[in-house]
Amino acid sequence: MLLPARKKDGRPGKIELANGDTLFLDEIGDMPIDIQAILLRVLQDRQVVRIGSVKCRHVDIRVIAATNQNLKQLIEEKKFRQDLYFRLSVLSLPVPPLRERHEDVELLTQFFLETYCKENDLPVPVMDTRVQALFSANQWPGNVRELENAVKYYVNMSRGNTIRLEHVPEDIHKGTSSFCVGPEPVKSSDPFLEQTDATCLPYLKEIEALYVAKTLEATNHNMTRAAALLGISKTTLYRRIKGQQGHL
């Protein structure tokens, strides 16, 4: 077996590759505590050492970090370093959830429509004004990612020039989320909420099965094309079809 030659000076990491530019750290609240210590040292010393090397290299980077967690609470729980928090929080920009900025829903919907259709060589459909109104009224607890996935779903369901009300599942019609939770956390001690959450699961499985079936139909059962549109591997697609035979 031939192995690639090992570079004497190591390989540059993402921090070094961002030298002279901006490094975006998403979900900083999930960073392991030991990695936090390494990041803090980099921000303090402005130096990195490549893996396999002993030479320090100067880096000049601007760091933007994002999280959906309460970092102050994580600090109290000893899950996030306080010194790293103060190093990063020079300028804090709270971003309200999508349910609190409904004016952005239409702009983001159009952006995701155009992006997804361009990536998959599809015509950009027009969204019916009534559908857009439903989108704007929805709570979107999954935030922007949920909206993006919804747009992909409706494009594949419509396969036409217009996304109409019949392409929208019942949960969106009701102004609720497919996650079956609202802005308040579901309490396990409430038997009614437990029953509601449990009875929602078969419906979601049927929606997923219908999504897969419609995509296969639209691609003439081309597994490679269908997997690409669904954003999954062919192996995963085969497994989904086998597991959903009772719903398809």
Side-chain angles (χ1 to χ4, degrees):
M1 179 186 297
L2 296 177
L3 298 176
R6 188 174 182 180
K7 290 190 175 182
K8 182 174 63 176
D9 294 331
R11 297 179 180 275
K14 294 185 183 300
I15 295 178
E16 186 178 349
L17 291 174
N19 186 32
D21 213 320
T22 301
L23 178 67
F24 177 62
L25 301 175
D26 197 9
E27 304 296 350
I28 190 73
D30 295 330
M31 180 177 287
I33 198 75
D34 54 336
I35 304 299
Q36 293 177 30
I38 297 174
L39 175 61
L40 178 63
R41 178 56 61 88
V42 171
L43 297 178
Q44 289 176 339
D45 299 342
R46 299 284 179 175
Q47 290 183 337
V48 295
V49 178
R50 293 180 178 179
I51 295 178
S53 175
V54 295
K55 180 181 178 181
C56 292
R57 300 172 185 272
H58 177 77
V59 289
D60 180 17
I61 58 173
R62 175 175 55 188
V63 175
I64 298 176
T67 182
N68 62 353
Q69 300 190 58
N70 187 331
L71 293 184
K72 292 183 179 179
Q73 181 178 341
L74 292 180
I75 291 173
E76 294 179 358
E77 297 173 357
K78 307 299 183 183
K79 296 179 181 179
F80 198 85
R81 294 181 61 108
Q82 187 178 46
D83 45 7
L84 177 59
Y85 171 81
F86 287 119
R87 176 66 66 173
L88 291 171
S89 62
V90 176
L91 177 62
S92 298
L93 297 174
V95 180
L98 197 55
R99 65 177 177 271
E100 295 180 9
R101 45 191 177 100
H102 294 289
E103 66 278 2
D104 290 346
V105 173
E106 184 175 353
L107 294 173
L108 289 170
T109 299
Q110 189 61 35
F111 171 77
F112 291 137
L113 268 176
E114 295 176 358
T115 301
Y116 181 68
C117 291
K118 182 179 180 181
E119 289 176 350
N120 294 279
D121 194 26
L122 297 171
V124 180
V126 177
M127 181 165 286
D128 189 292
T129 54
R130 293 171 296 176
V131 176
Q132 188 63 65
L134 287 174
F135 266 43
S136 297
N138 195 42
Q139 293 299 304
W140 302 113
N143 242 319
V144 177
R145 289 187 180 93
E146 183 187 1
L147 175 61
E148 180 181 9
N149 288 336
V151 170
K152 293 179 180 179
Y153 172 86
Y154 303 135
V155 169
N156 285 285
M157 288 293 288
S158 64
R159 285 298 176 182
N161 296 325
T162 306
I163 298 177
R164 304 184 186 280
L165 285 176
E166 56 264 30
H167 304 134
V168 180
E170 185 179 358
D171 53 356
I172 300 295
H173 278 289
K174 293 180 178 179
T176 58
S177 167
S178 57
F179 291 105
C180 301
V181 295
E184 296 297 326
V186 176
K187 299 179 181 179
S188 58
S189 59
D190 191 328
F192 174 76
L193 291 178
E194 287 182 353
Q195 181 180 4
T196 303
D197 189 54
T199 55
C200 185
L201 293 177
Y203 177 73
L204 293 179
K205 290 180 180 179
E206 292 171 6
I207 288 295
E208 183 185 64
L210 181 60
Y211 189 12
V212 171
K214 286 288 186 179
T215 304
L216 288 169
E217 181 182 347
T219 58
N220 293 322
H221 290 265
N222 184 316
M223 301 299 286
T224 302
R225 177 71 170 166
L229 288 174
L230 292 168
I232 58 178
S233 66
K234 287 177 62 176
T235 303
T236 301
L237 178 56
Y238 279 116
R239 187 165 59 248
R240 294 276 177 87
I241 293 173
K242 183 177 180 180
Q244 296 173 350
Q245 286 177 351
H247 298 283
L248 291 173

